[in-house]
Amino acid sequence: MKRNAIFATLIAAALLAGCNQSSDNESGGDNLVIGATMLSMQNEFIVNVSDAMEAKAKEMGVELITVDAERSALKQVEQVESFIGQGVDAIIMNPAEVEASSPAIKLAMDAKIPIINVNSETSAKPTAFVGSDDTESARIAMKYIAEKLGGKGNILMMHGFMGQAAQIKRDNGAKDILKANPGLKLLAEQSGEWDRAKGMSLTENWIQSYGDKINAIFAQNDEMGMGAVKALEAAGLKGKVLVVSVDAIPDALQAVKKGTLDATVFQNAKEQGGKAIETAVKAAKKEAFEKEVLIPFQLVDKGNVEGFLK
């Protein structure tokens, strides 16, 4: 009789535990799983966003599965399909392209899984967007160049990966300022694909083509900007050419401090990553959340760089 009573107690405890676990899952409290697909883990800024997401997920007790799209929109759509098949509670996408990554949004929406775009955008509207206004980042950078050149001079612009939202918007923002300053001439523009080595190679080609006609280079991200600085230094031209870029990654901040990079525009990777996780969790739990979270940019030059260095 005593043994039967023990078995009965154990069975009751197991049933109660099962009920409690089921209740937790239904409330969306515990065991949330979020899938994240990132543009490229070879890009330092994107890695910083991913690290911030990982830290916030750990803080909130959420399981985060992160994959690298390796700059391929097709691969990114396949990764979202995989997340849907795994039954994740929410998806975060750092889009590879505005148009070609958009089918992933529809797939997630059709599966009734919230999908949050972080840092970059798609033409298809996601559940929410967390990032910054890339048009404004370029306006800030080009205004700085216009002021330093006194509204006159020859400028080269280095684009990011063509077709990505940041590239399109930074192009638009830069050209807004160029239109407002007719004394500034755009000598050439070309893609360096967000890459430091490609930014260096592109600058070397420009030096051969334009030489001492170059007054400033606007690079749409710091990786390309640092490549431009290296090429200009090798040619003995850095003191004669302004270089301004976007993101304020650690290398760029150190370069601004040393005076080799004239300025960068701070984009808050920690805030973007953290807010993306918070928004995904709220959406998965069916709690109220902001449909658009915009984190402002800030100009960083030698006068204020110390405040951004860790």
Side-chain angles (χ1 to χ4, degrees):
M1 289 292 291
K2 187 179 286 186
R3 185 178 295 174
N4 288 342
I6 291 169
F7 283 150
T9 302
L10 288 171
I11 290 167
L15 287 170
L16 181 60
C19 289
N20 287 342
Q21 187 176 15
S22 174
S23 176
D24 284 345
N25 288 340
E26 285 169 9
S27 69
D30 297 331
N31 305 321
L32 282 181
V33 179
I34 297 172
T37 168
M38 309 301 288
L39 164 68
S40 171
M41 297 303 275
Q42 299 301 310
N43 181 299
E44 186 174 347
F45 182 80
I46 299 304
V47 171
N48 292 342
V49 174
S50 180
D51 287 347
M53 287 165 53
E54 190 67 48
K56 179 59 72 171
K58 187 175 181 182
E59 177 190 316
M60 297 183 76
V62 171
E63 181 183 349
L64 179 65
I65 305 167
T66 303
V67 293
D68 185 354
E70 298 178 332
R71 298 184 179 177
S72 167
L74 178 61
K75 185 170 186 177
Q76 191 158 61
V77 172
E78 290 171 350
Q79 288 169 340
V80 168
E81 283 182 309
S82 177
F83 286 144
I84 293 167
Q86 292 172 55
V88 298
D89 298 288
I91 296 167
I92 294 173
M93 182 167 71
N94 171 220
E97 292 184 41
V98 172
E99 296 297 339
S101 293
S102 286
I105 301 293
K106 186 175 187 306
L107 287 169
M109 294 293 203
D110 288 348
K112 297 188 175 7
I113 296 173
I115 182 164
I116 287 78
N117 281 353
V118 64
N119 179 254
S120 193
E121 299 170 68
T122 50
S123 57
K125 191 174 181 182
T127 307
F129 170 73
V130 177
S132 300
D133 180 359
D134 281 302
T135 307
E136 187 59 25
S137 70
R139 287 182 185 141
I140 291 168
M142 288 299 283
K143 278 180 185 176
Y144 178 88
I145 289 172
E147 287 169 9
K148 290 295 179 182
L149 295 181
K152 294 180 181 180
N154 296 319
I155 297 172
L156 298 165
M157 180 159 64
M158 208 173 286
H159 289 261
F161 193 70
M162 301 303 283
Q164 203 202 6
Q167 175 270 319
I168 294 167
K169 290 195 159 191
R170 290 176 192 177
D171 178 44
N172 292 339
K175 286 174 180 171
D176 286 345
I177 304 304
L178 287 173
K179 285 175 189 173
N181 292 271
L184 296 177
K185 182 182 178 184
L186 186 62
L187 284 181
E189 54 184 319
Q190 194 172 325
S191 176
E193 298 184 355
W194 307 124
D195 184 81
R196 190 173 303 205
K198 289 178 181 177
M200 181 178 175
S201 177
L202 181 52
T203 305
E204 288 169 344
N205 292 338
W206 280 340
I207 290 169
Q208 288 182 352
S209 299
Y210 302 105
D212 58 8
K213 291 180 182 177
I214 306 167
N215 300 120
I217 295 175
F218 168 50
Q220 291 184 357
N221 82 336
D222 285 337
E223 292 286 354
M224 297 185 298
M226 293 301 291
V229 165
K230 195 168 182 182
L232 289 165
E233 285 178 328
L237 290 173
K238 182 58 204 74
K240 300 175 183 177
V241 179
L242 281 170
V243 180
V244 181
S245 50
V246 179
D247 283 343
I249 62 174
D251 276 2
L253 292 173
Q254 289 296 337
V256 170
K257 184 179 179 181
K258 287 189 289 186
T260 53
L261 181 67
D262 295 278
T264 182
V265 182
F266 176 68
Q267 183 174 199
N268 198 326
K270 185 176 180 182
E271 279 291 300
Q272 289 189 18
K275 293 291 185 185
I277 291 293
E278 288 176 2
T279 302
V281 168
K282 286 177 181 176
K285 290 182 175 183
K286 295 181 172 51
E287 296 175 355
F289 60 90
E290 291 183 59
K291 301 282 186 183
E292 184 176 67
V293 179
L294 290 178
I295 298 147
F297 285 99
Q298 292 174 263
L299 179 72
V300 183
D301 62 10
K302 206 159 188 178
N304 66 348
V305 67
E306 290 292 345
F308 293 86
L309 290 165
K310 292 179 181 177

